Amino acid sequence: MSGPLTGIRVVELAGIGPGPHAAMMLSDLGADVVRVVRPSTPESDYAMTSHVLRGRTVVFADLKDAGDVARVRALVARADVLIEGFRPGVAERLGLGPGEFTVDNPGLVYGRMTGWGQTGPLASSAGHDINYISLTGVLDAIGPAGSPVPPLNVVGDYGGGSMFLVTGILAALVERHASGAGQVIDAAMLDGVGALTQPINELRAMGVWHDGRAANLLDGAAPFYRTYACSDGRHVAVGAIEPQFYALLVAGLGLDAADLPDQHDRSSWPELAATFSAAFGARDRDHWTGVFDGTDACVTPVLGFAEAPTHPHVAARGSLVAAGPDVVAASAPRFSRTPGRAAEGTTPRVRALEEVVRDWGG
């Protein structure tokens, strides 16, 4: 076991989505993470196969059984962090709310992961990533002009959810060194996505961002910041915003800048996009990959998940690793002295709850 969080003990009350993802990142960073799963449920099957559960110990406990709850509480009493993703009030009803540990474990960092947060009119309502990003303005800004398109749930669940939960946990652990006290973290995907939008809100305040879709520099409207189809039906991504990068894009496409409208003339963007589209569409994706490889034109192939691990740069860093038919992501970020765990495959260790309690000093 290695990583900057070596020695930190985490108990994760099993759930899906950002909670397990946050626990995965803590495990990748070296923490000892124990996932408590209810037996004889579909989730117990999920617990045995999910890639996100790497590096974990799995124990089974019936949280409606007083004896099992007592054993889980004994485990949490010796933990540094607890992660739960229930609706507000559920953990308290199970006898596992933060108030249960203020005496036995006053230094516990109690991480709560929800979509809407612990308070507010929607706190007890169901929701998914698409709902959380719809109320923050993000969904309205993604997709073609005619209709919003939900992105992968990396935006709400993981960008706005698990990443902010991990940030809160790490901050609380640092603060505990000074105070000796733990605290409760209310991590809401709604709040996290809102924080992620701050740069766009700034652009709106400056008057350089227009509400709606396909109308701005970074939402696909600009001909030099979008994707293009190639002759083989695959795509390239173009991000040539700066003038020096744009010049390399134009040259690589075999076009004469003198024949093109000004890069930042919005009225000419449709014409310029049509020109670029015709050029990219004349050859296959790998041709353009070769043309722009090693240049600063900011043109890259759009790779599928299966292709991504084979890209020379991705492979050199080991960012994504092919494991048979599967793709496994390496731990991130990287550290100079205390490297996190390497990807350990997809199967967590299964142990008896009593054994883990005993090993943790119970």
Side-chain angles (χ1 to χ4, degrees):
M1 184 181 301
S2 64
L5 294 186
T6 295
I8 296 295
R9 293 171 169 177
V10 179
V11 174
E12 171 200 1
L13 301 182
I16 59 174
H21 187 252
M24 180 202 79
M25 289 190 290
L26 296 176
S27 175
D28 285 350
L29 295 175
D32 184 2
V33 181
V34 175
R35 178 176 169 89
V36 179
V37 179
R38 300 186 187 192
S40 304
T41 67
E43 189 169 28
S44 66
D45 295 330
Y46 167 85
M48 298 294 82
T49 58
S50 172
H51 287 226
V52 177
L53 303 185
R54 69 188 186 201
R56 304 269 237 297
T57 296
V58 170
V59 298
F60 293 96
D62 183 354
L63 298 184
K64 295 183 179 180
D65 177 85
D68 274 5
V69 169
R71 284 184 281 274
V72 172
R73 288 178 61 178
L75 191 65
V76 176
R78 291 157 179 82
D80 298 287
V81 177
L82 183 139
I83 293 175
E84 64 95 352
F86 303 132
R87 293 198 199 190
V90 171
E92 283 81 355
R93 290 197 295 273
L94 293 171
L96 295 169
E100 303 292 337
F101 305 103
T102 53
V103 174
D104 292 340
N105 190 355
L108 180 68
V109 174
Y110 195 108
R112 317 197 82 162
M113 183 75 258
T114 62
W116 302 115
Q118 298 295 314
T119 60
L122 294 176
S124 296
S125 301
H128 279 296
D129 180 287
I130 191 172
N131 307 116
Y132 312 133
I133 68 174
S134 75
L135 293 194
T136 55
V138 170
L139 184 57
D140 188 56
I142 298 174
S147 177
V149 174
L152 292 179
N153 65 327
V154 295
V155 176
D157 282 351
Y158 306 117
S162 57
M163 294 297 182
F164 280 84
L165 177 59
V166 169
T167 299
I169 288 170
L170 297 180
L173 288 173
V174 170
E175 192 276 340
R176 191 178 69 175
H177 282 290
S179 69
Q183 56 185 307
V184 179
I185 300 161
D186 177 2
M189 289 172 244
L190 181 79
D191 299 343
V193 173
L196 293 175
T197 66
Q198 191 68 350
I200 304 302
N201 287 328
E202 182 175 38
L203 293 176
R204 292 184 71 251
M206 294 166 59
V208 295
W209 186 273
H210 307 281
D211 288 347
R213 293 164 302 284
N216 298 283
L217 179 68
L218 303 177
D219 63 3
F224 44 87
Y225 197 89
R226 57 179 293 182
T227 62
Y228 289 95
C230 303
S231 64
D232 56 358
R234 297 187 291 180
H235 294 78
V236 294
V238 175
I241 297 176
E242 292 80 1
Q244 66 273 28
F245 303 156
Y246 178 79
L248 292 172
L249 166 67
V250 171
L253 289 173
L255 301 173
D256 187 340
D259 297 331
L260 302 176
D262 180 79
Q263 177 187 359
H264 294 289
D265 178 4
R266 286 176 175 262
S267 67
S268 298
W269 277 2
E271 174 191 347
L272 189 56
T275 300
F276 289 169
S277 181
F280 278 115
R283 304 296 294 267
D284 64 30
R285 187 195 69 182
D286 291 346
H287 168 82
W288 294 117
T289 299
V291 167
F292 291 107
D293 185 41
T295 76
D296 281 344
C298 301
V299 178
T300 51
V302 177
L303 303 178
F305 286 119
E307 292 179 285
T310 67
H311 186 274
H313 187 82
V314 176
R317 289 185 59 83
S319 302
L320 298 169
V321 180
D326 301 325
V327 175
V328 179
S331 61
R334 304 184 186 195
F335 297 84
S336 61
R337 291 190 300 102
T338 54
R341 303 181 211 234
E344 297 182 1
T346 60
T347 305
R349 295 186 304 154
V350 180
R351 298 186 64 195
L353 174 56
E354 295 83 353
E355 292 178 2
V356 180
V357 174
R358 185 173 62 250
D359 288 350
W360 279 16

